[in-house]
Amino acid sequence: GIVGPDAICEGDTLTLRATDGFDTYDWTDSSGTILSANHDRELTLPTLIPGTHRYLLAVTDSAGCSGVAGPHVVMVHPLPTLPVLTCHGDTVIAEHPSAISYQWYLGSSMVVGESREIIVPTRDGVYSVLIADAHGCRVQSPAYVFAREASATVQLPFLTAVPGERVRIPLSLTASKNLVQGGARDFTALIRFD
C-alpha cells in the first residue's frame, strides 16, 4: 500500500512511501505520467499546485509477480492570502477573513503570549504576524513598522527685550507623549522673530 498524507499546503513537499517487500516500485500520477524512474520505495515531490492529486504505485517482487496500489489521493490546499496589518492608536490589527490562529513577531523573534488578531506593542519596531487557516496552511504578513507618535508641548515665558539685545529664553516642557518610547533623548528649539 501507499503511506502518506491525505492533505498538504501549497509549497509543502509531498513524500509518499510504499510498504516494503518488493524489488521495484514504479510511481505514476493519474494521467499515467511516470514520476520515479529509479524504482525507489519512496516518492518525494516538491511544490505542487493547489487541487486534488492522485498517485498510483506498480510493484514487482523477486518472483516477477506484480500489483498496483492506489490511487492515493492528496488534496493540496492553497496558501491563505496575506493578512493586512493596520494601526488604530496604539493597537496593530491583523485583518484576515479565514485566519483561525495568529502568532506575532517583533523582527525575527516570536512575541510570547501574543496569539490574537491584535497586538498592543510594548515597544517600537518591525512587527509581522504568522496566520494559519482551518487547513493548517500558514503565511506571514509583510513587515509593519510600528512607531508611537511622539509629541511635546513647550511653554515660553513672557519676556521683554529691545532690538539687538541678546536674550536667553528658557523653555518648559509642559506635556509629552511617548518621547522615551519614540527614542527622544533631547530637543532643540529654534525661535525666530521677524
Side-chain angles (χ1 to χ4, degrees), residues 31-128:
S31 69
T33 302
I34 297 172
L35 302 173
S36 174
N38 54 5
H39 307 294
D40 283 342
R41 191 175 149 245
E42 184 174 288
L43 174 68
T44 301
L45 298 170
T47 308
L48 298 169
I49 61 169
T52 303
H53 300 265
R54 292 172 176 76
Y55 301 97
L56 300 167
L57 174 64
V59 294
T60 306
D61 66 13
S62 58
C65 296
S66 60
V68 175
H72 183 84
V73 179
V74 178
M75 172 57 83
V76 179
H77 297 286
L79 291 177
T81 57
L82 292 174
V84 175
L85 302 185
T86 57
C87 186
H88 296 284
D90 63 350
T91 303
V92 180
I93 301 170
E95 297 173 10
H96 195 277
S98 64
I100 63 166
S101 72
Y102 302 82
Q103 179 56 62
W104 288 91
Y105 287 80
L106 174 57
S108 60
S109 299
M110 183 175 26
V111 182
V112 177
E114 294 296 345
S115 56
R116 299 179 305 143
E117 65 273 9
I118 65 168
I119 186 172
V120 179
T122 57
R123 64 183 210 197
D124 293 352
V126 179
Y127 287 83
S128 64

Coordinates of all heavy atoms in Angstrom, one line a residue, residues 31-128:
S31 N -2.7 10.5 -14.6 CA -2.6 10.6 -16.1 C -1.7 9.5 -16.7 O -1.6 9.5 -17.9 CB -2.3 12.0 -16.6 OG -0.9 12.2 -16.2
G32 N -1.0 8.8 -15.9 CA 0.0 7.8 -16.4 C 1.4 8.3 -16.5 O 2.3 7.6 -16.9
T33 N 1.6 9.5 -16.1 CA 3.0 10.1 -16.2 C 3.9 9.4 -15.1 O 3.5 9.3 -14.0 CB 3.0 11.6 -15.9 OG1 2.1 12.2 -16.9 CG2 4.4 12.2 -16.0
I34 N 5.0 8.9 -15.6 CA 6.0 8.3 -14.7 C 6.7 9.3 -13.8 O 7.2 10.3 -14.3 CB 7.0 7.4 -15.5 CG1 6.3 6.3 -16.2 CG2 8.1 6.9 -14.5 CD1 7.2 5.6 -17.2
L35 N 6.6 9.1 -12.5 CA 7.1 10.1 -11.6 C 8.5 9.6 -11.0 O 9.2 10.4 -10.4 CB 6.1 10.3 -10.4 CG 4.8 10.9 -10.9 CD1 3.8 10.9 -9.7 CD2 4.9 12.2 -11.5
S36 N 8.8 8.4 -11.1 CA 10.0 7.8 -10.5 C 10.6 6.8 -11.4 O 10.0 5.7 -11.6 CB 9.7 7.2 -9.1 OG 10.9 6.6 -8.6
A37 N 11.7 7.1 -12.0 CA 12.4 6.1 -12.9 C 13.4 5.2 -12.2 O 13.9 4.3 -12.8 CB 13.0 6.9 -14.0
N38 N 13.7 5.5 -11.0 CA 14.7 4.7 -10.3 C 14.1 3.6 -9.4 O 14.9 3.0 -8.6 CB 15.6 5.6 -9.5 CG 14.9 6.5 -8.5 OD1 13.7 6.4 -8.4 ND2 15.6 7.4 -7.9
H39 N 12.9 3.3 -9.4 CA 12.2 2.2 -8.7 C 12.3 2.3 -7.2 O 12.4 1.3 -6.5 CB 12.8 0.8 -9.2 CG 12.7 0.7 -10.7 ND1 11.5 0.6 -11.3 CD2 13.6 0.5 -11.6 CE1 11.7 0.4 -12.6 NE2 13.0 0.4 -12.8
D40 N 12.4 3.5 -6.7 CA 12.5 3.7 -5.2 C 11.2 3.5 -4.5 O 10.1 3.7 -5.1 CB 13.0 5.1 -4.9 CG 14.5 5.3 -5.1 OD1 15.2 4.3 -5.2 OD2 14.9 6.5 -5.2
R41 N 11.3 3.0 -3.3 CA 10.2 2.8 -2.4 C 9.5 4.1 -2.0 O 8.4 4.1 -1.6 CB 10.7 2.0 -1.2 CG 9.6 1.4 -0.4 CD 10.2 0.6 0.7 NE 9.3 0.7 1.9 CZ 9.6 1.2 3.0 NH1 10.8 1.6 3.3 NH2 8.7 1.3 4.0
E42 N 10.3 5.2 -2.0 CA 9.8 6.5 -1.6 C 9.7 7.5 -2.7 O 10.6 7.5 -3.6 CB 10.7 7.0 -0.5 CG 10.3 8.3 0.2 CD 11.2 8.7 1.3 OE1 11.1 8.0 2.3 OE2 11.9 9.6 1.1
L43 N 8.7 8.2 -2.8 CA 8.5 9.3 -3.8 C 8.4 10.6 -3.1 O 7.6 10.8 -2.2 CB 7.2 9.0 -4.6 CG 6.8 10.1 -5.6 CD1 7.8 10.1 -6.8 CD2 5.4 9.8 -6.1
T44 N 9.2 11.6 -3.5 CA 9.2 12.9 -3.0 C 8.9 13.9 -4.1 O 9.6 13.9 -5.1 CB 10.5 13.3 -2.3 OG1 10.7 12.3 -1.2 CG2 10.5 14.7 -1.7
L45 N 7.9 14.7 -3.9 CA 7.5 15.6 -4.9 C 7.6 17.0 -4.3 O 6.9 17.3 -3.3 CB 6.1 15.4 -5.5 CG 5.9 14.0 -6.2 CD1 4.4 13.8 -6.4 CD2 6.6 14.0 -7.5
P46 N 8.4 17.9 -4.9 CA 8.4 19.3 -4.4 C 7.1 20.0 -4.8 O 6.2 19.4 -5.4 CB 9.6 19.9 -5.2 CG 9.7 19.1 -6.4 CD 9.2 17.7 -6.1
T47 N 7.0 21.2 -4.5 CA 5.9 22.1 -4.6 C 4.8 21.6 -5.7 O 5.1 21.5 -6.9 CB 6.4 23.5 -5.0 OG1 7.3 23.9 -4.1 CG2 5.2 24.5 -5.0
L48 N 3.6 21.4 -5.2 CA 2.5 21.0 -6.1 C 1.5 22.1 -6.1 O 1.4 22.9 -5.2 CB 1.8 19.8 -5.5 CG 2.7 18.5 -5.4 CD1 2.0 17.4 -4.6 CD2 3.0 18.0 -6.8
I49 N 0.8 22.2 -7.2 CA -0.2 23.3 -7.3 C -1.4 22.9 -6.5 O -1.7 21.7 -6.3 CB -0.6 23.6 -8.8 CG1 -1.1 22.3 -9.5 CG2 0.6 24.1 -9.6 CD1 -1.8 22.6 -10.8
P50 N -2.2 23.8 -6.0 CA -3.4 23.5 -5.3 C -4.4 22.7 -6.1 O -4.5 22.9 -7.3 CB -4.0 24.9 -4.9 CG -2.8 25.8 -4.9 CD -1.9 25.3 -6.0
G51 N -5.0 21.8 -5.5 CA -6.0 20.9 -6.1 C -5.9 19.5 -5.6 O -5.2 19.2 -4.7
T52 N -6.6 18.6 -6.3 CA -6.6 17.1 -5.9 C -5.6 16.4 -6.8 O -5.7 16.6 -8.1 CB -8.0 16.5 -6.1 OG1 -8.9 17.3 -5.3 CG2 -8.0 15.1 -5.6
H53 N -4.7 15.6 -6.2 CA -3.7 14.8 -7.0 C -3.9 13.4 -6.6 O -4.1 13.0 -5.4 CB -2.3 15.3 -6.6 CG -2.1 16.8 -6.9 ND1 -1.5 17.2 -8.1 CD2 -2.4 17.9 -6.3 CE1 -1.5 18.5 -8.2 NE2 -2.0 19.0 -7.0
R54 N -3.8 12.5 -7.6 CA -3.9 11.0 -7.4 C -2.6 10.4 -7.8 O -2.1 10.7 -8.9 CB -5.1 10.5 -8.2 CG -6.4 11.0 -7.7 CD -7.6 10.6 -8.6 NE -8.9 11.0 -8.0 CZ -9.3 12.2 -8.0 NH1 -8.6 13.2 -8.6 NH2 -10.5 12.5 -7.5
Y55 N -2.2 9.4 -7.0 CA -0.9 8.7 -7.3 C -1.2 7.2 -7.3 O -1.9 6.7 -6.4 CB 0.2 9.1 -6.3 CG 0.4 10.6 -6.3 CD1 -0.2 11.4 -5.4 CD2 1.2 11.1 -7.3 CE1 0.0 12.8 -5.5 CE2 1.4 12.5 -7.4 CZ 0.8 13.3 -6.5 OH 1.0 14.7 -6.6
L56 N -0.5 6.5 -8.2 CA -0.6 5.0 -8.3 C 0.8 4.5 -8.1 O 1.8 5.1 -8.5 CB -1.2 4.6 -9.7 CG -2.6 5.1 -10.0 CD1 -2.9 4.9 -11.5 CD2 -3.6 4.4 -9.1
L57 N 0.8 3.2 -7.7 CA 2.1 2.5 -7.5 C 2.0 1.1 -8.1 O 1.2 0.4 -7.7 CB 2.4 2.5 -6.0 CG 3.7 1.7 -5.6 CD1 4.9 2.3 -6.1 CD2 3.7 1.5 -4.1
A58 N 2.9 0.8 -9.0 CA 3.0 -0.5 -9.5 C 4.3 -1.2 -8.9 O 5.3 -0.6 -8.9 CB 3.2 -0.5 -11.1
V59 N 4.1 -2.4 -8.4 CA 5.2 -3.1 -7.7 C 5.4 -4.4 -8.3 O 4.5 -5.0 -8.9 CB 4.9 -3.2 -6.2 CG1 4.9 -1.9 -5.5 CG2 3.6 -4.0 -5.9
T60 N 6.7 -4.9 -8.2 CA 7.1 -6.2 -8.7 C 8.0 -6.8 -7.7 O 8.9 -6.2 -7.2 CB 7.8 -6.1 -10.1 OG1 7.0 -5.4 -11.0 CG2 8.1 -7.5 -10.6
D61 N 7.7 -8.1 -7.4 CA 8.6 -8.8 -6.4 C 9.7 -9.6 -7.1 O 9.7 -9.7 -8.3 CB 7.8 -9.6 -5.4 CG 7.1 -10.8 -6.0 OD1 7.4 -11.1 -7.2 OD2 6.2 -11.4 -5.3
S62 N 10.5 -10.3 -6.4 CA 11.6 -11.1 -6.9 C 11.1 -12.3 -7.8 O 11.8 -12.8 -8.7 CB 12.5 -11.6 -5.8 OG 11.8 -12.4 -4.9
A63 N 9.9 -12.7 -7.6 CA 9.3 -13.8 -8.4 C 8.7 -13.4 -9.7 O 8.2 -14.2 -10.4 CB 8.3 -14.6 -7.5
G64 N 8.6 -12.0 -9.9 CA 8.0 -11.5 -11.1 C 6.6 -11.2 -10.9 O 5.9 -10.8 -11.9
C65 N 6.0 -11.4 -9.7 CA 4.6 -11.1 -9.5 C 4.5 -9.6 -9.4 O 5.3 -8.9 -8.7 CB 4.1 -11.8 -8.3 SG 4.1 -13.6 -8.4
S66 N 3.4 -9.0 -9.9 CA 3.2 -7.6 -9.9 C 1.9 -7.2 -9.3 O 0.9 -8.0 -9.3 CB 3.5 -6.9 -11.2 OG 2.6 -7.5 -12.2
G67 N 1.7 -6.0 -8.9 CA 0.5 -5.5 -8.4 C 0.4 -4.0 -8.5 O 1.4 -3.3 -8.8
V68 N -0.8 -3.4 -8.2 CA -0.9 -2.0 -8.3 C -1.6 -1.5 -7.0 O -2.5 -2.2 -6.5 CB -1.8 -1.6 -9.5 CG1 -2.1 -0.1 -9.5 CG2 -1.1 -2.0 -10.8
A69 N -1.1 -0.5 -6.4 CA -1.7 0.1 -5.2 C -2.2 1.5 -5.6 O -1.6 2.2 -6.4 CB -0.7 0.2 -4.1
G70 N -3.3 1.9 -4.9 CA -3.8 3.3 -5.2 C -5.1 3.2 -5.8 O -5.7 2.2 -6.1
P71 N -5.6 4.4 -6.2 CA -4.9 5.6 -6.1 C -4.9 6.2 -4.6 O -5.8 6.0 -3.9 CB -5.8 6.6 -7.0 CG -7.1 6.0 -6.9 CD -7.0 4.5 -6.7
H72 N -3.8 6.9 -4.4 CA -3.6 7.6 -3.1 C -4.0 9.1 -3.5 O -3.3 9.7 -4.3 CB -2.2 7.5 -2.6 CG -2.1 8.2 -1.2 ND1 -2.4 7.6 -0.1 CD2 -1.6 9.4 -0.9 CE1 -2.2 8.4 1.0 NE2 -1.7 9.5 0.4
V73 N -5.0 9.6 -2.8 CA -5.5 10.9 -3.2 C -4.9 11.9 -2.1 O -5.0 11.7 -0.9 CB -7.0 11.0 -3.1 CG1 -7.5 12.4 -3.5 CG2 -7.6 10.0 -4.1
V74 N -4.3 13.0 -2.7 CA -3.8 14.1 -1.8 C -4.4 15.4 -2.3 O -4.4 15.8 -3.4 CB -2.2 14.2 -2.0 CG1 -1.7 15.3 -1.2 CG2 -1.6 12.9 -1.6
M75 N -5.0 16.1 -1.3 CA -5.5 17.5 -1.5 C -4.5 18.5 -1.2 O -4.0 18.5 0.0 CB -6.8 17.7 -0.7 CG -7.3 19.1 -0.7 SD -7.7 19.7 -2.4 CE -9.3 19.1 -2.6
V76 N -4.1 19.3 -2.1 CA -3.1 20.4 -1.9 C -3.9 21.7 -1.7 O -4.6 22.2 -2.6 CB -2.1 20.6 -3.0 CG1 -1.2 21.7 -2.7 CG2 -1.4 19.2 -3.2
H77 N -3.9 22.2 -0.4 CA -4.7 23.4 -0.1 C -3.9 24.6 -0.5 O -2.7 24.7 -0.2 CB -5.1 23.4 1.4 CG -5.9 22.3 1.8 ND1 -7.3 22.3 1.5 CD2 -5.7 21.2 2.5 CE1 -7.8 21.2 2.0 NE2 -6.9 20.5 2.6
P78 N -4.5 25.7 -1.1 CA -3.8 26.9 -1.4 C -3.4 27.6 -0.1 O -4.1 27.5 0.9 CB -4.8 27.7 -2.2 CG -6.1 27.2 -1.8 CD -5.9 25.7 -1.4
L79 N -2.4 28.4 -0.2 CA -2.0 29.2 1.0 C -3.0 30.3 1.2 O -3.6 30.8 0.2 CB -0.6 29.9 0.8 CG 0.6 28.9 0.8 CD1 1.9 29.7 0.5 CD2 0.7 28.2 2.1
P80 N -3.2 30.7 2.4 CA -4.1 31.9 2.6 C -3.5 33.1 2.0 O -2.3 33.2 1.8 CB -4.2 32.0 4.2 CG -3.4 30.9 4.7 CD -2.7 30.2 3.6
T81 N -4.4 34.1 1.8 CA -3.9 35.4 1.3 C -3.2 36.1 2.5 O -3.3 35.7 3.6 CB -5.1 36.3 0.9 OG1 -6.0 36.4 2.0 CG2 -5.8 35.7 -0.3
L82 N -2.4 37.0 2.1 CA -1.6 37.7 3.2 C -2.5 38.6 4.0 O -3.4 39.2 3.5 CB -0.6 38.7 2.5 CG 0.6 38.0 1.8 CD1 1.5 39.0 1.1 CD2 1.4 37.1 2.7
P83 N -2.3 38.5 5.4 CA -3.1 39.4 6.2 C -2.7 40.9 6.0 O -1.6 41.2 5.7 CB -2.7 38.9 7.6 CG -1.5 38.2 7.5 CD -1.4 37.7 6.1
V84 N -3.7 41.7 6.3 CA -3.4 43.2 6.2 C -3.3 43.7 7.6 O -4.1 43.4 8.4 CB -4.6 43.9 5.4 CG1 -4.4 45.4 5.5 CG2 -4.8 43.3 4.0
L85 N -2.2 44.4 7.8 CA -2.0 45.0 9.1 C -2.3 46.5 9.1 O -1.9 47.2 8.2 CB -0.5 44.8 9.6 CG 0.0 43.4 9.6 CD1 1.4 43.3 10.2 CD2 -0.9 42.5 10.5
T86 N -3.1 46.9 10.1 CA -3.4 48.3 10.2 C -3.2 48.7 11.7 O -3.2 47.9 12.6 CB -4.9 48.6 9.8 OG1 -5.8 47.8 10.6 CG2 -5.2 48.3 8.4
C87 N -3.0 50.0 11.8 CA -2.8 50.6 13.2 C -4.0 51.5 13.5 O -4.4 52.3 12.8 CB -1.5 51.3 13.2 SG -1.0 51.9 14.8
H88 N -4.5 51.2 14.8 CA -5.5 52.1 15.3 C -5.0 52.5 16.7 O -5.1 51.8 17.7 CB -6.8 51.3 15.4 CG -7.4 50.9 14.1 ND1 -8.0 51.8 13.2 CD2 -7.4 49.7 13.5 CE1 -8.4 51.2 12.2 NE2 -8.0 49.9 12.2
G89 N -4.5 53.7 16.8 CA -3.9 54.2 18.0 C -2.7 53.4 18.4 O -1.7 53.4 17.6
D90 N -2.7 52.8 19.5 CA -1.6 52.0 20.0 C -1.7 50.5 19.7 O -1.0 49.7 20.3 CB -1.3 52.2 21.5 CG -2.4 51.8 22.4 OD1 -3.5 51.4 21.8 OD2 -2.3 51.7 23.6
T91 N -2.7 50.2 18.9 CA -3.0 48.8 18.6 C -2.8 48.4 17.1 O -3.2 49.2 16.2 CB -4.5 48.5 18.9 OG1 -4.7 48.8 20.3 CG2 -4.8 47.0 18.7
V92 N -2.1 47.3 16.8 CA -1.9 46.8 15.5 C -2.9 45.7 15.3 O -3.0 44.8 16.1 CB -0.5 46.4 15.2 CG1 -0.4 45.9 13.7 CG2 0.5 47.5 15.4
I93 N -3.7 45.7 14.2 CA -4.7 44.7 13.9 C -4.3 43.9 12.7 O -4.0 44.5 11.6 CB -6.1 45.4 13.8 CG1 -6.4 46.1 15.0 CG2 -7.1 44.3 13.4 CD1 -7.6 47.0 14.9
A94 N -4.5 42.6 12.8 CA -4.3 41.7 11.6 C -5.7 41.4 11.0 O -6.5 40.8 11.7 CB -3.6 40.4 12.0
E95 N -5.9 41.9 9.8 CA -7.2 41.6 9.2 C -7.1 40.5 8.2 O -6.3 40.6 7.3 CB -7.7 42.9 8.5 CG -8.0 44.0 9.6 CD -8.3 45.3 8.9 OE1 -8.5 45.4 7.7 OE2 -8.3 46.3 9.6
H96 N -7.9 39.4 8.4 CA -7.9 38.3 7.5 C -9.2 37.5 7.7 O -9.6 37.1 8.8 CB -6.7 37.3 7.8 CG -6.4 36.4 6.7 ND1 -7.1 35.2 6.6 CD2 -5.6 36.5 5.6 CE1 -6.7 34.6 5.5 NE2 -5.8 35.3 4.9
P97 N -9.8 37.2 6.5 CA -11.1 36.5 6.6 C -11.1 35.1 7.1 O -12.1 34.6 7.6 CB -11.7 36.7 5.2 CG -10.5 36.7 4.3 CD -9.4 37.5 5.2
S98 N -10.0 34.3 6.9 CA -10.1 32.9 7.2 C -9.1 32.5 8.3 O -8.9 31.3 8.5 CB -10.0 32.1 6.0 OG -8.7 32.3 5.4
A99 N -8.4 33.4 8.9 CA -7.4 33.0 9.9 C -8.0 32.5 11.1 O -9.0 33.0 11.6 CB -6.5 34.2 10.2
I100 N -7.5 31.4 11.7 CA -8.0 30.8 12.9 C -6.9 30.9 14.0 O -7.3 30.6 15.2 CB -8.6 29.4 12.8 CG1 -7.5 28.4 12.3 CG2 -9.7 29.4 11.8 CD1 -7.8 27.0 12.5
S101 N -5.7 31.1 13.6 CA -4.7 31.3 14.7 C -3.7 32.4 14.2 O -3.5 32.6 13.0 CB -3.9 30.0 14.9 OG -3.1 29.6 13.9
Y102 N -3.1 33.0 15.2 CA -2.2 34.2 15.0 C -1.0 34.0 15.9 O -1.1 33.5 17.0 CB -2.8 35.5 15.4 CG -4.1 35.8 14.6 CD1 -5.3 35.2 15.0 CD2 -4.1 36.6 13.5 CE1 -6.5 35.5 14.4 CE2 -5.3 36.9 12.8 CZ -6.5 36.3 13.3 OH -7.6 36.6 12.6
Q103 N 0.2 34.4 15.4 CA 1.4 34.5 16.2 C 2.2 35.7 15.7 O 2.6 35.8 14.6 CB 2.3 33.2 16.1 CG 3.6 33.3 16.9 CD 3.3 33.6 18.4 OE1 2.6 32.8 19.1 NE2 3.7 34.7 18.9
W104 N 2.4 36.6 16.6 CA 3.1 37.9 16.3 C 4.6 37.7 16.5 O 5.1 37.0 17.3 CB 2.5 39.0 17.2 CG 1.2 39.4 16.9 CD1 0.0 38.9 17.4 CD2 0.8 40.4 15.9 NE1 -1.1 39.6 16.8 CE2 -0.6 40.5 15.8 CE3 1.5 41.2 15.0 CZ2 -1.3 41.3 15.0 CZ3 0.8 42.1 14.2 CH2 -0.5 42.1 14.2
Y105 N 5.3 38.5 15.7 CA 6.8 38.6 15.7 C 7.2 40.0 15.8 O 6.6 40.9 15.1 CB 7.4 37.9 14.5 CG 7.2 36.4 14.5 CD1 6.0 35.8 14.1 CD2 8.3 35.6 14.9 CE1 5.9 34.4 14.1 CE2 8.2 34.2 14.9 CZ 7.0 33.7 14.5 OH 6.9 32.3 14.6
L106 N 8.3 40.3 16.5 CA 9.0 41.5 16.5 C 10.3 41.3 15.9 O 11.1 40.5 16.5 CB 9.1 42.1 17.9 CG 10.0 43.4 18.1 CD1 9.4 44.5 17.2 CD2 10.0 43.8 19.6
G107 N 10.5 41.8 14.7 CA 11.7 41.4 13.9 C 11.6 39.9 13.6 O 10.5 39.4 13.1
S108 N 12.6 39.1 13.9 CA 12.5 37.7 13.7 C 12.2 36.9 15.0 O 12.2 35.7 15.0 CB 13.8 37.2 13.1 OG 14.9 37.4 14.0
S109 N 11.9 37.6 16.1 CA 11.6 36.9 17.4 C 10.1 36.9 17.6 O 9.4 37.9 17.5 CB 12.3 37.7 18.5 OG 13.7 37.7 18.3
M110 N 9.7 35.7 18.0 CA 8.3 35.5 18.4 C 8.0 36.3 19.6 O 8.8 36.3 20.6 CB 8.0 34.0 18.6 CG 6.6 33.7 19.0 SD 6.1 32.0 19.1 CE 7.5 31.2 19.6
V111 N 6.8 37.0 19.6 CA 6.4 37.7 20.8 C 5.5 36.7 21.6 O 4.4 36.4 21.3 CB 5.6 39.0 20.4 CG1 5.2 39.7 21.7 CG2 6.4 39.9 19.5
V112 N 6.1 36.2 22.7 CA 5.5 35.2 23.5 C 4.1 35.7 24.1 O 4.1 36.8 24.6 CB 6.4 34.8 24.7 CG1 5.7 33.7 25.6 CG2 7.7 34.2 24.1
G113 N 3.1 34.9 24.0 CA 1.8 35.2 24.5 C 0.9 36.1 23.6 O -0.2 36.4 23.9
E114 N 1.5 36.5 22.5 CA 0.7 37.3 21.5 C 0.1 36.5 20.4 O 0.8 36.3 19.4 CB 1.5 38.5 21.0 CG 1.9 39.5 22.1 CD 0.7 40.2 22.7 OE1 -0.4 40.2 22.1 OE2 0.9 40.9 23.7
S115 N -1.1 35.9 20.6 CA -1.6 35.0 19.7 C -3.1 35.3 19.3 O -3.9 34.4 19.1 CB -1.5 33.5 20.2 OG -2.1 33.4 21.5
R116 N -3.4 36.6 19.3 CA -4.7 37.0 18.9 C -4.6 37.9 17.7 O -3.5 38.2 17.2 CB -5.3 37.9 20.0 CG -5.5 37.1 21.3 CD -6.1 37.9 22.4 NE -5.3 39.2 22.6 CZ -5.9 40.3 22.9 NH1 -7.2 40.5 23.1 NH2 -5.1 41.4 23.1
E117 N -5.7 38.3 17.1 CA -5.6 39.1 15.9 C -5.1 40.5 16.1 O -4.9 41.3 15.2 CB -7.0 39.1 15.2 CG -8.1 39.8 15.9 CD -8.8 38.9 16.9 OE1 -8.4 37.8 17.1 OE2 -9.9 39.4 17.4
I118 N -5.0 40.9 17.4 CA -4.5 42.3 17.7 C -3.3 42.2 18.6 O -3.1 41.2 19.3 CB -5.6 43.2 18.4 CG1 -5.9 42.6 19.7 CG2 -6.8 43.4 17.5 CD1 -6.8 43.5 20.6
I119 N -2.5 43.2 18.6 CA -1.3 43.3 19.5 C -1.2 44.8 19.9 O -1.4 45.7 19.1 CB 0.0 42.8 18.9 CG1 1.1 42.8 19.9 CG2 0.4 43.6 17.6 CD1 2.4 42.1 19.4
V120 N -0.9 45.0 21.1 CA -0.6 46.4 21.6 C 0.9 46.3 21.9 O 1.3 45.9 22.9 CB -1.4 46.7 22.9 CG1 -1.1 48.1 23.4 CG2 -2.9 46.6 22.6
P121 N 1.7 46.8 20.9 CA 3.1 46.7 21.1 C 3.6 47.5 22.3 O 3.1 48.5 22.6 CB 3.7 47.4 19.8 CG 2.5 47.2 18.8 CD 1.3 47.4 19.6
T122 N 4.6 46.8 23.0 CA 5.2 47.5 24.2 C 6.4 48.3 23.8 O 6.9 49.0 24.6 CB 5.6 46.4 25.2 OG1 6.5 45.5 24.5 CG2 4.4 45.6 25.7
R123 N 6.8 48.2 22.5 CA 7.9 49.0 22.0 C 7.9 49.1 20.5 O 7.2 48.4 19.9 CB 9.3 48.4 22.5 CG 9.6 47.1 21.9 CD 10.9 46.6 22.4 NE 11.5 45.7 21.4 CZ 12.5 44.9 21.7 NH1 13.0 44.8 22.9 NH2 13.0 44.2 20.7
D124 N 8.5 50.1 20.0 CA 8.5 50.4 18.6 C 9.4 49.3 17.9 O 10.3 48.8 18.5 CB 9.1 51.8 18.3 CG 8.3 52.9 18.8 OD1 7.1 52.6 19.3 OD2 8.7 54.1 18.8
G125 N 9.1 49.1 16.7 CA 9.9 48.1 15.9 C 9.1 47.6 14.7 O 8.0 48.1 14.4
V126 N 9.7 46.6 14.1 CA 9.1 46.0 12.9 C 8.3 44.7 13.3 O 8.9 43.7 13.8 CB 10.2 45.6 11.8 CG1 9.6 45.0 10.6 CG2 11.0 46.9 11.5
Y127 N 7.0 44.7 13.1 CA 6.1 43.6 13.5 C 5.6 42.9 12.3 O 5.4 43.5 11.2 CB 4.9 44.2 14.3 CG 5.3 44.6 15.7 CD1 5.9 45.8 16.0 CD2 5.2 43.7 16.8 CE1 6.3 46.2 17.2 CE2 5.6 44.1 18.1 CZ 6.1 45.4 18.3 OH 6.5 45.7 19.6
S128 N 5.3 41.6 12.5 CA 4.6 40.8 11.5 C 3.8 39.8 12.2 O 4.0 39.6 13.4 CB 5.6 40.2 10.5 OG 6.4 39.2 11.2

